[in-house]
Amino acid sequence: FGPDFWTYSSIVRNLPKRPNRILGLYPLADMMNHSCQPNTVRVFVGEYMVVHTSTTIAAGEEIVSSYVPPTFSYPQRQANLKQNHGFTCDCSRCRVEAEFWKNPTEQIA
């Protein structure tokens, strides 16, 4: 993990404009899967990563975070996830937005 959506490849591309803290190992946070509709938000307090819930999480519900800025459009999120994380997202938000992006002009009426 790095500061707000920085990955190793983005740090290398942006050298020497890298942030003060580059990357850290956070094994517990690493167990969280991705969703474009996350139920957590992470903040850094010094060297510590603190994960807060952003909604009520029911018992047994998966705890997920977003690997990309949730404000990105569907095509931006998919491209970023494919390039930097090697997968295509199929979360509930992406399934809904994929329908719109198949033919966006039909959706606007």
Side-chain angles (χ1 to χ4, degrees), residues 21-108:
R21 42 189 169 104
I22 298 185
L23 297 174
L25 296 175
Y26 300 92
L28 292 176
D30 191 42
M31 290 191 271
M32 287 188 292
N33 284 324
H34 164 80
S35 174
C36 293
Q37 195 169 345
N39 54 18
T40 64
V41 63
R42 61 187 163 93
V43 295
F44 288 89
V45 180
E47 303 247 340
Y48 296 94
M49 178 193 298
V50 179
V51 178
H52 295 275
T53 62
S54 56
T55 186
T56 301
I57 301 174
E61 182 179 352
E62 184 175 16
I63 298 172
V64 291
S65 66
S66 184
Y67 296 176
V68 297
T71 54
F72 278 10
S73 68
Y74 171 77
Q76 289 173 311
R77 292 192 320 269
Q78 291 296 336
N80 187 297
L81 289 167
K82 189 67 166 176
Q83 178 182 354
N84 294 320
H85 300 281
F87 71 91
T88 301
C89 183
D90 190 40
C91 71
S92 58
R93 177 180 174 192
C94 285
R95 286 192 299 272
V96 169
E97 291 182 20
E99 289 301 313
F100 170 83
W101 285 96
K102 282 181 185 175
N103 197 348
T105 55
E106 285 183 10
Q107 305 292 329
I108 303 171

Side-chain angles (χ1 to χ4, degrees), residues 3 6 10-22:
W6 280 75
S10 67
I11 290 168
V12 169
R13 279 194 310 271
N14 290 298
L15 286 175
K17 301 181 299 182
R18 68 179 186 263
N20 289 336
R21 42 189 169 104
I22 298 185

